[in-house]
Amino acid sequence: MKRRLCILLAALLAVSALLAGCAAEETEAEGLSIYYAAGDQETYGQSAVGAENWAGGSAASTVDEVFARMQEEPGEDGLSQTLPDGVRLWSWTLEDGVLTLNLSEEYNGLSGISLTVTSACLVLTMTQLDGVEALDITVDGQPLPEGSQVPLTREDVLLTGEIQDPATVGFQLYFPLSDWSGLGTEYRETELYDTSLTDQIDTVIEMLAAGPGTDGMEPAFTDLEAHLDSQMMGDVCILTLTESWAAVLSAQELSRQALVNSLCELEQVEAVAFSWDGEGQASLEGTYYADYG
């Protein structure tokens, strides 16, 4: 899935007020500013990040110390943790002012606005350390794809300019009927700051997992992480499954078809294929097309 660090930041950070407030806090208070998400955790609104002072930290603190502090829950009201549960800092390097964090696979569970805000918090926090001018992030030693691995400076995050309005995007979704005799449909609109195909795929999967808004239908799947890595090969959307996802989609034909039909409603997707390493892989081999019957 697309891993961007900087896209949407102008839209998500209410930059003018935020810049002034954060700059004042950092110059007046001793210690280190630790950044968290601020405002509505679902939409984040315009005040996407906020900071609380860590009196025990300083520009001389180690990267490990600061990362461990960022994993703690904020003490101030209105701030919330952004790092995913269980994420670990495997290693880090600092070269020519660029700090590279090598994080564990849990970081890949972030997407869309959550990924953007979390990355912004890391940049704003880590660039206070001595010698750190920019931040790069890898996961299990692998760079994040599609150019997002370009190191970000504090100035890249604290952008100024007009706030970009979100776009309203409509999705045709398919859900199993309550008696599991077939599929029903539901049209839903939502606001997206990024309307790229990858983010639309993410949104479809999240909506299917959340369930329908009308009676007579059921969620396409439950008790699964509402995120799958995706890539396009021509007009085929390839989803990388975990074992739990593979088990559900292998056993529940209607859940699989609801997912396929919903994704095939996207303009650039004509078919869906699945990829994973594990037992029973042959049960989901091949390419799946929409079936509206």
Side-chain angles (χ1 to χ4, degrees):
M1 120 159 240
K2 185 183 297 181
R3 303 294 181 186
R4 298 168 312 283
L5 301 185
C6 59
I7 193 168
L8 311 183
L9 290 175
L12 297 176
L13 306 177
V15 287
S16 299
L18 184 61
L19 275 171
C22 292
E25 289 177 8
E26 291 181 15
T27 55
E28 295 174 5
E30 295 182 357
L32 210 66
S33 293
I34 304 298
Y35 284 82
Y36 297 96
D40 189 330
Q41 295 185 47
E42 295 298 324
T43 62
Y44 293 107
Q46 293 183 341
S47 56
V49 300
E52 68 177 15
N53 186 62
W54 177 32
S58 71
S61 297
T62 68
V63 173
D64 298 276
E65 290 172 339
V66 175
F67 189 82
R69 179 61 177 79
M70 291 188 71
Q71 290 181 296
E72 297 180 12
E73 292 296 326
E76 295 187 13
D77 292 339
L79 300 180
S80 59
Q81 178 59 259
T82 62
L83 290 169
D85 292 340
V87 67
R88 299 180 65 182
L89 174 60
W90 293 130
S91 62
W92 60 270
T93 59
L94 178 60
E95 185 175 353
D96 296 330
V98 178
L99 173 65
T100 300
L101 303 181
N102 183 28
L103 304 180
S104 61
E105 176 63 27
E106 287 79 6
Y107 199 79
N108 274 340
L110 296 171
S111 62
I113 296 175
S114 297
L115 173 63
T116 304
V117 173
T118 303
S119 300
C121 291
L122 283 168
V123 172
L124 293 173
T125 300
M126 292 296 180
T127 52
Q128 298 171 76
L129 299 180
D130 288 338
V132 179
E133 300 174 1
L135 181 70
D136 196 5
I137 297 176
T138 62
V139 175
D140 287 337
Q142 299 300 312
L144 302 178
E146 300 194 23
S148 60
Q149 66 269 28
V150 175
L152 283 179
T153 67
R154 194 173 192 81
E155 289 71 26
D156 291 327
V157 174
L158 296 179
L159 301 171
T160 56
E162 296 181 356
I163 302 301
Q164 174 183 323
D165 292 328
T168 300
V169 182
F171 296 92
Q172 184 71 37
L173 304 172
Y174 291 78
F175 295 96
L177 298 175
S178 295
D179 61 3
W180 290 83
S181 62
L183 296 176
T185 63
E186 180 177 288
Y187 180 79
R188 195 179 304 174
E189 292 184 344
T190 189
E191 292 185 338
L192 297 179
Y193 283 97
D194 181 9
T195 58
S196 67
L197 178 58
T198 303
D199 276 66
Q200 292 188 54
I201 291 171
D202 293 341
T203 301
V204 167
I205 294 172
E206 291 170 2
M207 287 181 169
L208 291 177
T214 54
D215 295 334
M217 294 184 291
E218 300 293 331
F221 24 78
T222 57
D223 300 325
L224 293 174
E225 181 185 4
H227 162 72
L228 289 173
D229 285 346
S230 65
Q231 60 179 321
M232 294 297 297
M233 183 173 293
D235 56 10
V236 178
C237 173
I238 301 175
L239 300 177
T240 302
L241 306 180
T242 62
E243 288 290 343
S244 55
W245 268 94
V248 169
L249 297 183
S250 297
Q252 298 180 8
E253 181 180 355
L254 279 181
S255 294
R256 182 176 69 247
Q257 199 60 53
L259 175 61
V260 171
N261 282 14
S262 299
L263 290 175
C264 287
E265 289 286 350
L266 301 178
E267 183 176 355
Q268 296 168 263
V269 178
E270 294 296 328
V272 177
F274 303 105
S275 173
W276 83 99
D277 294 324
E279 296 181 0
Q281 185 169 1
S283 62
L284 286 177
E285 284 184 350
T287 303
Y288 292 83
Y289 294 85
D291 182 358
Y292 304 117

